[in-house]
mmCIF file of all heavy atoms in Angstrom:
data_model
loop_
_atom_site.group_PDB
_atom_site.id
_atom_site.type_symbol
_atom_site.label_atom_id
_atom_site.label_comp_id
_atom_site.label_asym_id
_atom_site.label_seq_id
_atom_site.Cartn_x
_atom_site.Cartn_y
_atom_site.Cartn_z
ATOM 1 N N CYS B 390 4.283 169.638 84.040
ATOM 2 C CA CYS B 390 5.425 170.090 83.180
ATOM 3 C C CYS B 390 5.490 169.129 82.034
ATOM 4 O O CYS B 390 4.889 168.183 81.890
ATOM 5 C CB CYS B 390 6.780 170.057 84.010
ATOM 6 S SG CYS B 390 7.433 168.524 84.168
ATOM 7 N N ARG B 392 7.672 166.889 81.403
ATOM 8 C CA ARG B 392 8.080 165.661 81.819
ATOM 9 C C ARG B 392 6.996 164.915 82.476
ATOM 10 O O ARG B 392 6.860 163.659 82.615
ATOM 11 C CB ARG B 392 9.327 165.559 82.604
ATOM 12 C CG ARG B 392 10.476 166.116 81.846
ATOM 13 C CD ARG B 392 11.862 165.690 82.493
ATOM 14 N NE ARG B 392 12.164 164.337 82.308
ATOM 15 C CZ ARG B 392 13.093 163.711 83.003
ATOM 16 N NH1 ARG B 392 13.918 164.421 83.746
ATOM 17 N NH2 ARG B 392 13.290 162.399 82.801
ATOM 18 N N CYS B 393 5.948 165.693 83.051
ATOM 19 C CA CYS B 393 4.720 164.982 83.573
ATOM 20 C C CYS B 393 3.978 164.383 82.373
ATOM 21 O O CYS B 393 3.386 163.263 82.671
ATOM 22 C CB CYS B 393 3.842 166.008 84.278
ATOM 23 S SG CYS B 393 4.410 166.828 85.831
ATOM 24 N N CYS B 467 6.442 162.337 88.222
ATOM 25 C CA CYS B 467 7.316 163.231 87.377
ATOM 26 C C CYS B 467 8.762 163.387 88.195
ATOM 27 O O CYS B 467 8.832 163.884 89.236
ATOM 28 C CB CYS B 467 6.799 164.437 87.099
ATOM 29 S SG CYS B 467 7.811 165.625 86.224
ATOM 30 N N CYS B 469 11.046 165.395 87.512
ATOM 31 C CA CYS B 469 11.251 166.818 87.546
ATOM 32 C C CYS B 469 10.402 167.594 88.650
ATOM 33 O O CYS B 469 10.913 168.060 89.572
ATOM 34 C CB CYS B 469 11.056 167.387 86.184
ATOM 35 S SG CYS B 469 11.486 169.055 85.998
ATOM 36 N N CYS B 470 9.086 167.519 88.592
ATOM 37 C CA CYS B 470 8.168 168.365 89.389
ATOM 38 C C CYS B 470 8.232 167.702 90.790
ATOM 39 O O CYS B 470 8.224 168.171 91.907
ATOM 40 C CB CYS B 470 6.790 168.238 89.052
ATOM 41 S SG CYS B 470 6.442 169.100 87.475
HETATM 42 ZN ZN1 ZN C 231 6.574 167.362 85.878
#
Side-chain angles (χ1 to χ4, degrees):
Chain B
C390 84
R392 298 196 71 187
C393 292
C467 178
C469 185
C470 296

